[in-house]
Amino acid sequence: MKNLKILLIGQPNVGKSSLLNALVGPKVVVSNYPGTTVEVTQAEKVFDNTRIKLVDTPGIYSISDRSEEEKVTEKALFEEQVDGVVIIADASSLERSLYLVLQILEAEIPAIIALNFVEEAEKKGIKIDSEKLGKLLNIPVVPINPLTKRGISDLVDSLFRIKEEIEVFRVEYDDHVEKAISEISSQIKENSIPKRFIAIRVLEEDRDFYRYLKNKRIIEEVKEGLTEHPRVAEDVSITRYGTASFIAEKVTQIVRIKAEKTSQIQEKVDNIFLHKIWGPFITFLFLLTVFGILLYLGNLMQDFLMGLTESFSSSFGMEEHSIIVMVLVQGLTGVVAGVSIALPYVFLFYLFLGLLEDVGLLSRFVVNAERFLKKLGLPGKAFIPLALGLGCTVPAVRATRILASEKEQFRTASLFAFVPCSSRIAIIMGVVGFYGGVTLSFSVLATSLVAGLIWILVIQKVIHVKSEHLLLELPPYRKPLIKNVLAKSWIRMKDFVYIVIPLLALGGVTYGVLDILGLTEVLVKPFSPISAWLGLPDVTIIPLIFGFLQKDLTGAMLLSVLGSEVSSALTTVQIYTFGVAATIGIPCIIAFGMLSKEFGFKRAILLVVTSIGYGILFAGLAWRAILFFM
Amino acid sequence: MLKESDVLKIVKEDILRILGEEKRKISLKSMKAKIKVSPPFMSKAIKILEEEGLISVEKEFIRLTKNGSAEAEAIVKKHLVLENYFKETRSEREAHRAAHLLEHQISEEVINNIKKLFILKKEGVPLTEFGFNKKGLITDIMTSDYKLFERMISMGISPGEIIEVTNKIPNGVIVKINNKKIVLNKIIAKEIKVLEYEKS
């Protein structure tokens, strides 16, 4: 059996993931928000005795190193062995797609163009002669429609022939650029990447490619020879774009240029959603409504699942008080808490988010949020991970990858200490709200918000990040495909189910073991200064500590250490303090794991310790302030 | 207001000048690279020149006809004379530009317009000051951050492209370019220079 590894690349929102779906089945996320795929998705399928491994990559406009998304693709292109790429091009803005195509051809990677949105373009009066395009570039061009499966089998056929060596089209630059390219080419170490391509990347100031140079001085030398053309990098990209639009123009036939009715409607909708007052208002209202529905539906689902899981766990029979059973019961309690509290909430949350994304609203919300996030020194794109953080911190940490620099990612990730995830909202609403009233739960939220704002102000001074400008494509409003939204919610939840729930069980078991061995008391002792600072009974440290192992057990454990009469065991202020201490800080060990995967162990531990310490400090100060003023 | 006919005149003369300077046939591709102008102008100018019998197009190459050679020679000469004249007072780059401008022998009003033309970059109105729902020709992108520059180019925001502002929002502008909607913040929008453009 032959093996082929093929990369799917293209601009954000051009239909890479839907093509992958059409090729191998509904396993990948498709979205209407530019830059959702932050990780590479792979899928395999055997066609006619050839195993084709397809790799979906984050959307890129060009091979450049501007943001993490693009780095992922660049890595996949040059650091792994690939047999070829399928470039998905958008028929309605062909020149832009061709820019990327020309770069890939420069890198001499065997390529096929899959021309998507052909029907949409024709509706706009744009007809592309794909055969002519193929002849001009000397690579296969296949018009496709992933929804109707048009062209999919043709595409597979051309994949089989992708390795055939052919002379492809090459961008010719101005004489001074060509001269510089050949000068740099002569100073490049032998390696598998074509020299011309490396030379062009070097001219375009891509530092990742400097390591292929025998001597870095060549860059200066070449630039000195180009005093008449000081903006040589710009000459390169403009010529490439010019060539792209020149080719596009040759194969495009404009039938009629008439503003479509639908595009007028799109304009009008944007006039509302991006209005300077209504825009942010609607964004806020939408989020609020989503939360309202979430709390309501979440509670319904929670009651239902609680009933199911309780009857399941009680079937184990409590009469057998053997140690193993007790430990098992604790483990099960952890899972029950996870399944019944977090699962419905997290799933519903992702469902709503997926809907917003596919309708095209999420990118508008990003634009609206940018105005406010900018004031906090955050880029508009940070809205996405922050909103995700309201579901579960773990996938939210990973979503910070859409931000341009690692510093920016880390800074945004540090805010998850203050963005309450579903489990923390459950504590605030379920524990604080239940025993102390709704007002009290809102004061906990407000305290966390204030603490977060102070944190942002401080961290801005500590971690300097060059501000990222808002430059974002707004996808058209579309009708969402429910199947797609469901698939996407599931993929985002997979982390939660496969990582979080087992750890919940583990946490429960650990607690059970410690409890049986009578170690919990011993464990509490060293923490008594903290509980004193918080003005809480010593035992309340147990739910706080175990809260870090599994946030969803915090409430249940508070009950088990204090007895069911929480309101008589704790004063209102103490309930508040407990709520604040349980809310602020990186929430759990699973989030810590994800942080250390993304930013390294050292920075993760630094963030966890600092944020939890800060939370405890803040909680202690807050209750003293309250008592002082009351 | 910039007229299509003015742009075409310049592009036509530039094509002749380059052919005259090179004294050989040139591929359409490299001509395109030399004259950084959006493709519709380029193809139109070539079509007109072919109709006027000044050039002939063969496969992917263009060459001067007899009539064209004479015309081109005149333009080249004029360009050299002007360039030398200006060299005394300005830097070489400036001289080249000024010569470029004058060789087209167009009316003063048009020259004033063309001063703002993309050939003479750095002119034009910042996109932030450009009105709604009218077409503008991007003349230059001023940013010194190449990464940002390349990102914009690859998103289709390139000199020579036609851009339209559809919305202004407090933190930036929303533009339509190439059938795509893109939101740019004010800092980026300020770097994009545009001229009002009319298809004539």
Side-chain angles (χ1 to χ4, degrees):
Chain A
M1 183 167 310
K2 276 203 302 182
N3 282 302
L4 277 179
K5 187 172 175 188
I6 306 289
L7 239 57
L8 302 182
I9 67 169
Q11 300 157 22
N13 219 23
V14 77
K16 288 179 298 298
S17 304
S18 17
L19 175 61
L20 190 55
N21 268 341
L23 282 166
V24 297
K27 278 180 195 151
V28 275
V29 180
V30 185
S31 20
N32 198 13
Y33 175 80
T36 320
T37 320
V38 276
E39 249 180 330
V40 170
T41 322
Q42 294 196 11
E44 259 183 23
K45 195 167 181 183
V46 177
F47 301 89
D48 293 347
N49 210 29
T50 305
R51 189 195 309 276
I52 300 184
K53 189 191 246 179
L54 294 154
V55 187
D56 183 23
T57 58
I60 53 168
Y61 294 102
S62 87
I63 304 175
S64 99
D65 57 356
R66 195 170 154 73
S67 79
E68 204 66 20
E69 321 156 18
E70 289 171 1
K71 261 189 201 148
V72 173
T73 310
E74 200 176 300
K75 254 198 191 132
L77 271 174
F78 300 112
E79 286 171 23
E80 291 159 33
Q81 196 61 46
V82 289
D83 295 302
V85 297
V86 173
I87 308 164
I88 297 96
D90 182 345
S92 64
S93 67
L94 189 63
E95 44 274 80
R96 209 173 71 173
S97 299
L98 286 180
Y99 185 90
L100 183 60
V101 171
L102 292 177
Q103 267 191 326
I104 294 293
L105 295 186
E106 260 167 11
E108 293 172 30
I109 299 168
I112 296 172
I113 294 179
L115 193 63
N116 201 5
F117 302 128
V118 180
E119 288 89 349
E120 281 91 333
E122 275 171 14
K123 272 186 209 153
K124 287 180 186 153
I126 302 164
K127 267 190 93 157
I128 309 284
D129 186 341
S130 55
E131 220 169 287
K132 197 171 169 193
L133 179 62
K135 273 191 192 138
L136 277 175
L137 297 172
N138 207 14
I139 58 171
V141 178
V142 187
I144 57 157
N145 185 339
L147 297 178
T148 60
K149 304 252 165 155
R150 172 194 171 191
I152 300 300
S153 59
D154 292 347
L155 187 66
V156 173
D157 283 345
S158 44
L159 280 178
F160 294 139
R161 297 190 301 269
I162 199 163
K163 288 210 89 169
E164 289 168 16
E165 295 278 322
I166 37 165
E167 187 75 18
V168 296
F169 179 89
R170 201 173 86 162
V171 181
E172 274 172 39
Y173 295 97
D174 299 4
D175 293 346
H176 71 275
V177 179
E178 287 291 346
K179 194 167 153 263
I181 291 172
S182 62
E183 277 169 20
I184 295 173
S185 296
S186 66
Q187 293 295 319
I188 290 170
K189 296 177 208 157
E190 282 307 319
N191 73 93
S192 58
I193 305 174
K195 285 181 174 173
R196 180 181 168 85
F197 178 69
I198 295 173
I200 293 169
R201 295 306 303 157
V202 169
L203 269 184
E204 287 190 84
E205 297 163 14
D206 186 340
R207 287 174 189 280
D208 290 346
F209 283 83
Y210 286 7
R211 62 192 148 114
Y212 297 110
L213 294 172
K214 284 182 195 151
N215 189 342
K216 292 197 175 57
R217 271 218 315 273
I218 184 76
I219 302 167
E220 293 310 310
E221 281 169 24
V222 165
K223 283 206 175 137
E224 271 163 32
L226 288 171
T227 42
E228 267 197 59
H229 305 276
R231 294 163 92 181
V232 61
E234 293 177 15
D235 292 343
V236 171
S237 47
I238 287 192
T239 308
R240 190 185 294 127
Y241 186 80
T243 312
S245 55
F246 188 59
I247 295 170
E249 211 254 340
K250 278 189 139 182
V251 299
T252 307
Q253 195 193 340
I254 307 274
V255 184
R256 66 195 150 90
I257 315 167
K258 207 177 87 189
E260 282 275 313
K261 245 191 199 154
T262 47
S263 93
Q264 281 171 12
I265 295 169
Q266 297 252 352
E267 271 348 297
K268 279 190 184 138
V269 177
D270 259 353
N271 281 337
I272 302 166
F273 282 119
L274 294 170
H275 188 267
K276 64 179 174 192
I277 298 159
W278 297 119
F281 184 70
I282 291 169
T283 306
F284 184 69
L285 210 67
F286 246 90
L287 285 182
L288 215 63
T289 316
V290 165
F291 265 95
I293 298 171
L294 223 57
L295 284 177
Y296 179 72
L297 284 183
N299 274 336
L300 280 186
M301 271 176 87
Q302 193 178 325
D303 285 345
F304 173 69
L305 283 172
M306 276 280 229
L308 273 187
T309 42
E310 248 163 38
S311 63
F312 175 71
S313 60
S314 63
S315 71
F316 269 76
M318 292 300 284
E319 59 272 12
E320 273 182 81
H321 278 279
S322 74
I323 290 173
I324 293 170
V325 168
M326 277 175 74
V327 168
L328 269 181
V329 166
Q330 285 294 350
L332 209 62
T333 319
V335 178
V336 169
V339 172
S340 56
I341 298 173
L343 208 63
Y345 191 91
V346 171
F347 182 72
L348 281 174
F349 182 83
Y350 289 140
L351 201 66
F352 279 116
L353 195 78
L355 269 175
L356 285 182
E357 207 170 60
D358 276 22
V359 174
L361 270 176
L362 194 65
S363 53
R364 272 75 182 180
F365 288 177
V366 168
V367 174
N368 290 327
E370 198 254 1
R371 278 163 65 190
F372 303 95
L373 289 172
K374 202 169 61 185
K375 294 205 171 88
L376 301 173
L378 292 169
K381 271 191 192 166
F383 177 76
I384 308 259
L386 290 177
L388 273 171
L390 292 167
C392 176
T393 307
V394 180
V397 168
R398 202 181 50 196
T400 57
R401 284 195 190 173
I402 61 168
L403 302 172
S405 68
E406 209 187 342
K407 272 183 178 176
E408 188 70 89
Q409 292 164 17
F410 185 65
R411 204 167 69 166
T412 305
S414 81
L415 298 178
F416 296 131
F418 310 95
V419 177
C421 59
S422 60
S423 310
R424 283 180 276 174
I425 292 175
I427 295 171
I428 296 170
M429 295 300 166
V431 179
V432 180
F434 190 77
Y435 296 108
V438 181
T439 326
L440 200 68
S441 57
F442 277 104
S443 358
V444 171
L445 273 178
T447 312
S448 164
L449 194 69
V450 171
L453 287 176
I454 296 172
W455 175 276
I456 291 179
L457 291 178
V458 173
I459 205 150
Q460 266 185 39
K461 302 270 184 294
V462 182
I463 306 177
H464 289 281
V465 182
K466 203 178 140 213
S467 65
E468 188 186 347
H469 297 308
L470 183 68
L471 176 61
L472 184 73
E473 188 173 336
L474 298 175
Y477 293 105
R478 279 205 282 242
K479 214 173 89 188
L481 281 171
I482 298 302
K483 211 171 78 183
N484 185 13
V485 173
L486 282 172
K488 189 155 56 180
S489 315
W490 165 244
I491 283 171
R492 287 187 174 144
M493 269 205 53
K494 252 173 32 193
D495 270 351
F496 190 82
V497 173
Y498 292 142
I499 306 171
V500 179
I501 292 183
L503 280 167
L504 285 176
L506 197 70
V509 169
T510 318
Y511 176 65
V513 171
L514 286 174
D515 198 34
I516 287 159
L517 298 177
L519 282 175
T520 42
E521 294 290 316
V522 186
L523 214 72
V524 167
K525 273 270 156 358
F527 291 99
S528 53
I530 291 178
S531 32
W533 165 252
L534 290 173
L536 293 171
D538 278 1
V539 280
T540 52
I541 214 75
I542 295 173
L544 284 181
I545 292 173
F546 279 90
F548 188 69
L549 292 179
Q550 45 173 122
K551 215 73 190 169
D552 297 300
L553 265 194
T554 310
M557 272 191 220
L558 187 69
L559 288 186
S560 77
V561 295
L562 288 178
S564 54
E565 297 295 311
V566 172
S567 359
S568 62
L570 296 178
T571 66
T572 310
V573 173
Q574 279 177 322
I575 294 173
Y576 163 85
T577 318
F578 181 81
V580 173
T583 303
I584 301 177
I586 293 301
C588 61
I589 193 156
I590 308 146
F592 164 73
M594 187 52 101
L595 280 169
S596 95
K597 197 175 143 203
E598 293 290 311
F599 305 107
F601 182 77
K602 266 192 199 160
R603 278 199 276 177
I605 205 122
L606 179 77
L607 181 57
V608 167
V609 171
T610 323
S611 66
I612 291 176
Y614 177 72
I616 290 169
L617 186 78
F618 209 86
L621 288 175
W623 75 262
R624 285 179 173 79
I626 289 170
L627 284 190
F628 182 78
F629 287 112
M630 278 199 332
Chain B
M1 167 111 38
L2 193 62
K3 291 244 167 64
E4 193 184 22
S5 54
D6 299 335
V7 182
L8 278 177
K9 186 168 164 44
I10 298 167
V11 176
K12 271 166 62 188
E13 290 191 359
D14 272 351
I15 293 172
L16 289 176
R17 180 177 55 79
I18 289 167
L19 283 168
E21 281 171 354
E22 302 269 330
K23 294 196 175 67
R24 59 181 170 94
K25 64 176 181 179
I26 285 183
S27 73
L28 282 170
K29 225 163 46 206
S30 58
M31 183 60 87
K32 176 74 188 76
K34 285 189 165 75
I35 304 174
K36 283 153 197 150
V37 64
S38 65
F41 291 131
M42 185 71 182
S43 341
K44 248 183 217 163
I46 288 175
K47 213 170 142 197
I48 295 170
L49 284 171
E50 203 181 359
E51 280 166 10
E52 289 172 349
L54 297 175
I55 59 166
S56 63
V57 184
E58 238 173 80
K59 281 179 190 164
E60 295 298 304
F61 290 90
I62 43 179
R63 64 167 82 237
L64 289 166
T65 60
K66 237 184 195 164
N67 288 341
S69 298
E71 188 99 354
E73 208 176 311
I75 294 171
V76 172
K77 234 180 222 161
K78 199 166 61 190
H79 189 84
L80 280 176
V81 170
L82 289 168
E83 201 170 317
N84 281 330
Y85 171 76
F86 282 117
K87 252 183 197 165
E88 315 228 323
T89 49
R90 297 158 205 235
S91 75
E92 201 159 316
R93 205 174 146 82
E94 286 267 301
H96 189 75
R97 274 171 154 195
H100 211 92
L101 172 69
L102 284 174
E103 76 189 358
H104 298 293
Q105 273 191 348
I106 17 193
S107 74
E108 200 170 334
E109 191 213 328
V110 177
I111 287 181
N112 283 334
N113 270 335
I114 285 159
K115 265 187 196 158
K116 301 176 207 154
L117 184 57
F118 49 100
I119 291 170
L120 267 185
K121 294 182 160 192
K122 293 195 170 74
E123 309 277 346
V125 194
L127 194 63
T128 40
E129 288 159 33
F130 195 66
F132 280 111
N133 299 325
K134 50 182 186 178
K135 302 228 179 314
L137 184 74
I138 301 180
T139 58
D140 201 5
I141 292 168
M142 309 281 290
T143 178
S144 56
D145 174 357
Y146 178 65
K147 292 274 175 319
L148 179 62
F149 181 87
E150 207 251 0
R151 174 109 176 158
M152 287 161 84
I153 299 281
S154 66
M155 287 178 90
I157 307 170
S158 162
E161 282 292 351
I162 308 291
I163 197 169
E164 194 183 326
V165 178
T166 61
N167 296 60
K168 282 196 180 167
I169 51 171
N171 42 342
V173 292
I174 293 165
V175 297
K176 220 181 193 167
I177 190 162
N178 249 317
N179 290 315
K180 294 289 169 200
K181 244 181 176 182
I182 296 173
V183 55
L184 311 153
N185 77 358
K186 276 187 186 150
I187 301 164
I188 299 179
K190 247 185 219 152
E191 312 270 11
I192 301 174
K193 296 289 157 82
V194 283
L195 269 181
E196 196 175 340
Y197 176 74
E198 182 194 56
K199 220 174 158 159
S200 53

